[in-house]
């Protein structure tokens, strides 16, 4: 039997759980835990410069590896600073455990120094939360927290830890709980076979089908099975923004991702399809446009691990609740056994139509800058794609640069496209990229950002100096909040209310002052060389400040309240 | 349409706020709500009446089921069920009204459970619509205070909500 203090139980548990890094920031209510961290060497603590960054670092790590990210913050402002990161993880179903210090139990409710009811504050943005009421509960509650965060539809779990629960003088028996069972929580398993059969019947009869994969394929490790299914059926494949990489985008069957700024051919194919087989996406408003005009001629098969995602926004013909892997396995098996088989030429007309849509837009809808002109943001992303052979982990912030990155970097593997899709959190990208690079030092990790988003988390340049985290940063600097400006151009007669970023710093000087490398590129002819130099410096954080055309818009863009294929294609064309 | 949803949930701190929070967070309606521990002290039973079309009610039950503290739930209005609500009414009882209130209470099979020279406190249990009718019937009297528990219910026959 081993006797440990509450604080030592926490660090010991994390080590036993296999946690290598935690991200956090100390403060009064968490100091016993920080002392315990100092006295061991299995769990490494990364000191950020703002708690929000800790949550995004943990989040980025979780998105790239599938393992839960772990955060440690103190009570009050420490915990409230983490809120945006918790909400970000919640909206994208990212497994995360957030340990929050809290004032001592006898002070709770008295408006004590740095007291916040963080359980209350975070209630709508967590999968679950726990409050420690007795130190002996720590191992089991932490075990449950990890179990809940990582199983079923993943999500963040907050654990509130009053300071007296971690007092060094009081010791309790520590055993790592091998099993965890909760009568009120059973993660979803296999889908209903009868429903899967119905889906397969529709698949075999479809004339204009489309496979639609979501972030659930990435989270559930189902990309390979999804690809197998697509190959077997020869169906066109689209994904949601979160599903990018679940199917190789350079493959012939990929029509790109769909939605507000999705590809012309994906949105056209969805609109004209007679069968949508959706796996692991939730039909959110940025994907469907006006739900009453969504895919008017299609039957819809919806596979999801979360029953509440099914039928939430759109009517579904065949709902299937189950894990993506189990349902895909069963679909593949049923297709193998089925007496009726797909005819080889069944989809010839459909593919002809899709190929015509693809050809009409030629995949690229911008004019690259000539030498001497201001660069287009799209061409910078294309250059990054080429320089990294499409193999990098690409992390973004939120705005025009995010859409350009999604459109012009082609992802062939899951878990490599890292973006805040649901919450749309500016400031997410830099720390998320750091979390990935720290855990995957041999992989190329690129942050594609804009000067607006980057300034929301740029204090983390300091963390990168301290821990040597050599991410590559491509700053698409258009000296304005590009997406806001685009909406103002389109909907507010170009009145640019507060979307112009005045008083920008000299990013080169700023980044260099932290001991990193920075370069500024203003002319198109200098781009390739600068990018090459950037990626050649393996061990350095390199910040490439690329001046791009502030007047550029992201297209295609779905017309608000329209159908999937109501799109603006440029400043002057519309479908 | 009106639905009565009964929930068995962990009798733990924060469980109630998660359920109530869910309703406001997702813009669902709560018309009445009551909650108390069951014969098993680790479980609470919460009953909520709400309104919404089929799609809304489906979302409510799915979202409730997703809450980790919720063990089991049933939409009682989906089948035959019994529902009851308890009401305590303090009503002015002077002059001719004193006899009138007593008569009305008897007609509704209520009980007068507290008396002062000028006030009756009436206890009435039944379907929520009966309680509404009683209040209407007392129209001529001065109501001083009304306390209702909100609806509680069980399914008819052998169907039970338990672990």
């Amino acid at each position: 039997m081993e006797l440990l203090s509450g604080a030592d139980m926490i660090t010991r548990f994390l080590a036993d759980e296999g946690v290598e890094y935690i991200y956090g920031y100390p403060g009064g209510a968490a100091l016993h835990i920080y002392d315990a961290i100092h006295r061991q060497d299995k769990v490494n603590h990364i000191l950020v410069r703002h708690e929000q960054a800790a949550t995004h670092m943990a989040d980025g790590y979780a998105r790239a590896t599938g393992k839960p990210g772990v955060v440690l913050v103190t009570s009050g402002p420490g915990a409230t600073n983490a809120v945006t990161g918790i909400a970000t993880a919640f909206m994208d179903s990212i497994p995360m455990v957030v340990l929050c210090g809290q004032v001592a139990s006898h002070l709770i409710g008295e408006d004590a120094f740095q007291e916040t009811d963080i359980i209350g504050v975070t209630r709508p943005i967590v999968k679950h939360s726990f409050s420690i009421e007795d130190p002996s509960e720590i191992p089991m509650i932490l075990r449950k927290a990890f179990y809940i965060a990582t199983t079923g539809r993943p999500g963040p779990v907050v654990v509130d830890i009053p300071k007296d629960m971690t007092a060094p003088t009081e010791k309790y028996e520590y055993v790592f709980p091998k099993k965890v069972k909760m009568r009120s929580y059973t993660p979803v398993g296999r889908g209903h076979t009868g429903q899967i059969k119905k889906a397969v019947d529709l698949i075999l009869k479809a004339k204009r089908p489309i496979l639609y994969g979501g972030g659930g394929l990435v989270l559930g490790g189902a990309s390979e099975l999804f690809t197998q299914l697509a190959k077997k059926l020869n169906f066109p494949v689209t994904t949601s923004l979160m599903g990018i990489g679940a199917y190789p985008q350079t493959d012939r069957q990929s029509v790109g991702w769909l939605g507000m700024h999705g590809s012309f051919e994906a949105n056209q194919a969805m609109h004209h399809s007679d069968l949508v087989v959706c796996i692991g996406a939730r039909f959110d408003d940025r994907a469907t446009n006006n739900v009453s005009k969504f895919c008017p001629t299609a039957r819809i098969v919806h596979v999801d691990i979360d029953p509440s995602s099914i039928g939430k926004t759109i009517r579904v013909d065949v709902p299937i609740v189950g894990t993506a892997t189990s349902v895909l396995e069963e679909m593949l098996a049923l297709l193998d056994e089925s007496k009726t088989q797909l005819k080889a030429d069944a989809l010839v007309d459909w593919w002809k139509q899709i190929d015509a849509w693809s050809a009409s837009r030629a995949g690229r809808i911008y004019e690259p800058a000539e030498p001497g002109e201001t660069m287009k943001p799209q061409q910078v992303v294309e250059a990054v794609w080429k320089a990294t052979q499409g193999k990098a982990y690409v992390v973004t912030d939120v705005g025009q640069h995010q859409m350009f990155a999604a459109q012009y970097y082609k992802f062939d593997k899951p878990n490599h496209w890292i973006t805040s899709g649901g919450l749309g959190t500016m400031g997410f990208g830099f720390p998320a990229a750091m979390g990935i690079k720290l855990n995957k030092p041999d992989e190329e990790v690129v942050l594609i950002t804009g000067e607006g988003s980057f300034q929301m988390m740029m204090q983390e340049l300091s963390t990168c100096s301290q821990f040597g985290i050599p991410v590559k940063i491509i700053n698409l600097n258009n000296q304005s909040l590009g997406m806001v400006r685009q909406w103002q151009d389109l909907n507010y007669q170009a009145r640019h209310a507060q979307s112009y970023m005045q008083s920008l710093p000299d990013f080169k000087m700023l980044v260099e002052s932290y001991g990193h490398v920075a370069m500024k590129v203003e002319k198109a002819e200098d781009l390739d060389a600068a990018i090459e130099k950037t990626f050649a410096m393996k061990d350095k954080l390199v910040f490439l400040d690329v001046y791009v055309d502030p007047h550029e818009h992201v297209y295609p863009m779905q017309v608000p309240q329209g159908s999937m294929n109501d799109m603006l294609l440029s400043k002057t064309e519309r479908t | 349409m009106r639905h009565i949803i009964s929930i068995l949930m962990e009798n733990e701190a924060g469980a109630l706020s998660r359920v109530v929070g869910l309703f406001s967070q997702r813009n669902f309606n709560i018309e009445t709500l009551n909650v108390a521990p069951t014969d098993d002290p680790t479980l609470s039973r919460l009953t909520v009446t709400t309104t919404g079309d089929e799609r809304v009610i489906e979302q409510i039950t799915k979202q409730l089921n997703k809450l980790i503290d919720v063990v089991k739930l049933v939409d009682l209005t989906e089948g035959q069920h019994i529902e009851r609500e308890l009401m305590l009414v303090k009503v002015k009882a002077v002059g001719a009204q004193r006899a009138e209130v007593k008569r009305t209470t008897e007609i509704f099979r209520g009980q007068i459970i507290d008396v002062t020279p000028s006030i009756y406190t009436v206890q009435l249990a039944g379907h929520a619509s009966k309680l509404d009718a009683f209040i209407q019937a007392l129209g001529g009297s001065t109501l001083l205070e009304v306390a209702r528990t909100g609806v509680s219910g069980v399914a008819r026959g052998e169907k039970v909500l338990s672990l």
Side-chain angles (χ1 to χ4, degrees):
Chain A
M1 195 175 84
E2 200 175 357
L3 290 176
L4 295 176
S5 73
D8 286 323
M9 278 200 270
I10 291 170
T11 53
R12 179 59 188 280
F13 176 89
L14 293 175
D16 289 349
E17 181 69 38
V19 175
E20 208 180 329
Y21 288 105
I22 62 172
Y23 316 92
Y25 204 99
L31 282 184
H32 293 327
I33 307 173
Y34 271 89
D35 191 60
I37 289 172
H38 194 75
R39 286 182 281 98
Q40 56 84 56
D41 57 5
K42 291 210 173 78
V43 181
N44 303 292
H45 180 270
I46 303 297
L47 175 69
V48 292
R49 300 300 183 263
H50 185 290
E51 288 87 349
Q52 185 184 337
T55 55
H56 294 326
M57 276 189 91
D59 182 321
Y61 161 74
R63 288 177 202 244
T65 63
K67 294 179 193 155
V70 185
V71 176
L72 173 59
V73 294
T74 192
S75 64
T80 55
N81 274 350
V83 166
T84 301
I86 296 170
T88 305
F90 180 72
M91 287 291 273
D92 289 342
S93 310
I94 305 304
M96 181 188 288
V97 175
V98 182
L99 309 175
C100 297
Q102 180 57 283
V103 300
S105 322
H106 70 277
L107 292 173
I108 289 179
E110 295 187 357
D111 300 323
F113 177 64
Q114 295 195 328
E115 181 190 355
T116 303
D117 171 15
I118 199 63
I119 297 280
V121 170
T122 57
R123 199 204 61 236
I125 51 164
V126 294
K127 186 169 173 190
H128 196 56
S129 46
F130 292 97
S131 202
I132 309 269
E133 286 164 18
D134 189 297
S136 64
E137 305 171 336
I138 288 174
M140 186 44 102
I141 284 185
L142 290 182
R143 186 76 178 82
K144 284 182 179 170
F146 277 81
Y147 175 63
I148 291 171
T150 54
T151 52
R153 179 178 179 178
V157 176
V158 165
V159 184
D160 200 30
I161 311 169
K163 190 169 184 181
D164 49 325
M165 298 297 125
T166 54
T169 46
E170 288 166 49
K171 303 205 169 174
Y172 299 83
E173 187 183 352
Y174 172 83
V175 184
F176 181 78
K178 286 214 175 62
K179 271 194 181 161
V180 53
K181 206 174 169 341
M182 300 171 71
R183 63 179 172 185
S184 59
Y185 176 68
T186 319
V188 161
R190 307 186 63 82
H192 188 274
T193 303
Q195 291 293 94
I196 300 174
K197 273 187 184 148
K198 273 191 209 163
V200 168
D201 285 346
L202 289 178
I203 284 171
L204 289 170
K205 279 182 212 146
K207 295 199 167 62
R208 301 186 310 281
I210 184 160
L211 285 177
Y212 168 27
L217 293 172
V218 180
L219 293 163
S223 305
E224 232 166 87
L225 286 166
F226 181 68
T227 306
Q228 268 183 45
L229 181 74
K231 286 282 152 201
K232 187 188 230 0
L233 298 171
N234 187 34
F235 282 8
V237 182
T238 185
T239 70
S240 65
L241 183 77
M242 296 310 293
I244 289 177
Y247 187 83
Q249 288 192 304
T250 54
D251 182 81
R252 185 191 64 85
Q253 279 170 246
S254 169
V255 294
W257 53 281
L258 56 70
M260 181 173 273
H261 293 295
S263 79
F264 176 76
E265 53 268 41
N267 287 341
Q268 287 287 9
M270 284 292 284
H271 183 78
H272 290 95
S273 66
D274 69 351
L275 177 68
V276 174
V277 180
C278 171
I279 304 179
R282 59 185 172 87
F283 294 96
D284 90 296
D285 57 298
R286 286 294 194 272
T288 60
N289 210 0
N290 185 344
V291 286
S292 66
K293 297 178 186 165
F294 179 71
C295 300
T297 51
R299 301 265 213 143
I300 293 171
V301 173
H302 189 184
V303 181
D304 207 283
I305 198 166
D306 178 359
S308 73
S309 283
I310 300 177
K312 184 170 68 180
T313 59
I314 55 141
R315 164 200 60 78
V316 172
D317 297 284
V318 183
I320 302 173
V321 178
T323 63
T325 46
S326 73
V327 174
L328 282 163
E329 272 167 5
E330 208 166 335
M331 275 184 176
L332 285 162
L334 284 168
L335 283 165
D336 280 338
E337 293 161 15
S338 171
K339 278 176 211 139
T340 47
Q341 286 293 331
L342 278 168
K343 291 194 195 80
D345 59 351
L347 302 178
V348 169
D349 291 345
W350 181 225
W351 270 113
K352 233 183 244 170
Q353 172 68 76
I354 290 168
D355 290 340
W357 282 322
S358 305
S360 75
R361 302 312 302 173
R364 172 197 266 186
I365 47 173
Y366 74 95
E367 293 296 323
E370 300 293 329
E373 284 179 2
T374 316
M375 269 164 287
K376 298 290 183 185
Q378 298 94 322
Q379 76 187 99
V380 182
V381 175
E382 283 194 316
V384 171
W385 176 50
K386 281 184 200 130
T388 54
Q389 292 107 46
K391 288 179 184 152
Y393 286 87
V394 176
V395 189
T396 76
D397 274 299
V398 172
Q400 282 190 325
H401 73 266
Q402 177 189 29
M403 296 296 107
F404 290 135
Q407 289 178 333
Y408 292 93
Y409 200 101
K410 302 292 170 205
F411 295 85
D412 285 335
K413 278 195 205 154
N415 305 95
H416 281 61
W417 162 246
I418 312 286
T419 201
S420 168
L423 196 68
T425 309
M426 289 173 73
F428 166 82
F430 185 27
M434 290 160 60
I436 300 168
K437 186 65 184 174
L438 186 70
N439 287 277
K440 293 184 174 284
D442 300 329
E443 305 281 342
E444 201 64 83
V445 181
V446 190
L447 168 68
I448 296 178
T449 184
E451 80 292 336
S453 290
F454 186 71
Q455 287 186 92
M456 287 206 180
M457 277 286 128
M458 65 183 176
Q459 77 284 347
E460 298 306 317
L461 286 165
S462 173
T463 309
C464 289
S465 310
Q466 182 179 352
F467 296 96
I469 308 175
V471 294
K472 303 292 183 275
I473 302 169
I474 311 294
N475 188 39
L476 299 180
N477 190 337
N478 59 359
Q479 308 99 60
S480 68
L481 301 177
M483 191 58 95
V484 172
R485 184 189 168 106
Q486 174 169 346
W487 282 54
Q488 289 168 336
D489 284 342
L490 294 169
N491 302 327
Y492 300 91
Q493 289 84 46
R495 289 188 298 277
H496 296 147
Q498 303 295 313
S499 60
Y500 178 65
M501 297 292 284
Q502 281 163 324
S503 314
L504 285 175
D506 180 329
F507 284 107
K508 186 170 184 299
M509 280 174 70
L510 176 84
V511 172
E512 283 173 350
S513 76
Y514 285 97
H516 305 303
V517 178
M519 292 179 274
K520 187 166 165 179
V521 189
E522 287 174 289
K523 292 190 193 113
E525 58 268 35
D526 299 333
L527 180 66
D528 287 341
I531 284 183
E532 198 180 314
K533 254 169 106 181
T534 299
F535 290 106
M537 287 182 262
K538 293 282 169 215
D539 301 328
K540 295 270 185 201
L541 182 152
V542 185
F543 185 99
L544 199 58
D545 192 17
V546 191
Y547 277 67
V548 296
D549 185 355
H551 304 292
E552 194 62 16
H553 285 181
V554 182
Y555 293 112
M557 180 178 186
Q558 284 177 333
V559 177
Q561 292 312 310
S563 60
M564 284 298 280
N565 69 338
D566 274 341
M567 287 173 274
L568 302 173
L569 301 172
S570 70
K571 284 182 182 171
T572 51
E573 299 163 275
R574 185 179 164 164
T575 50
Chain B
M1 216 187 99
R2 175 172 173 270
H3 286 253
I4 305 170
I5 298 170
S6 264
I7 303 164
L8 279 184
M9 59 186 198
E10 299 289 353
N11 185 11
E12 270 175 22
L16 175 61
S17 71
R18 283 180 220 279
V19 171
V20 175
L22 176 73
F23 276 78
S24 62
Q25 176 192 345
R26 298 211 176 251
N27 211 9
F28 302 146
N29 229 341
I30 296 183
E31 301 213 324
T32 74
L33 173 118
N34 71 46
V35 58
T38 63
D39 55 321
D40 174 352
T42 67
L43 282 176
S44 287
R45 182 170 176 136
L46 181 149
T47 302
V48 61
T49 54
T50 183
T51 51
D53 59 22
E54 205 180 316
R55 188 134 145 209
V56 170
I57 299 298
E58 184 184 317
Q59 267 300 306
I60 291 176
T61 54
K62 281 174 167 179
Q63 294 290 353
L64 283 169
N65 264 317
K66 237 168 90 174
L67 293 177
I68 308 286
D69 288 328
V70 169
V71 186
K72 229 175 181 183
L73 66 81
V74 63
D75 179 353
L76 290 171
T77 27
E78 268 183 358
Q80 294 283 321
H81 65 281
I82 300 155
E83 57 171 282
R84 289 290 180 272
E85 187 174 356
L86 180 79
M87 172 168 71
L88 301 177
V89 185
K90 219 174 246 193
V91 58
K92 203 155 211 180
V94 285
Q97 282 304 314
R98 203 162 170 87
E100 182 57 28
V101 170
K102 188 160 182 290
R103 247 192 321 272
T104 313
T105 302
E106 277 160 13
I107 292 168
F108 277 83
R109 297 201 192 100
Q111 291 109 40
I112 295 169
I113 55 171
D114 190 42
V115 181
T116 75
S118 60
I119 288 168
Y120 281 154
T121 301
V122 179
Q123 167 187 300
L124 187 65
H127 195 284
S129 59
K130 173 178 157 179
L131 308 195
D132 295 340
F134 180 67
I135 287 176
Q136 268 198 334
L138 286 181
S141 318
T142 311
L143 294 181
L144 299 170
E145 191 176 348
V146 174
R148 295 173 69 149
T149 58
V151 172
S152 189
V154 291
R156 278 195 186 276
E158 318 220 317
K159 227 175 126 188
V160 292
L161 176 65
S162 67
L163 289 194

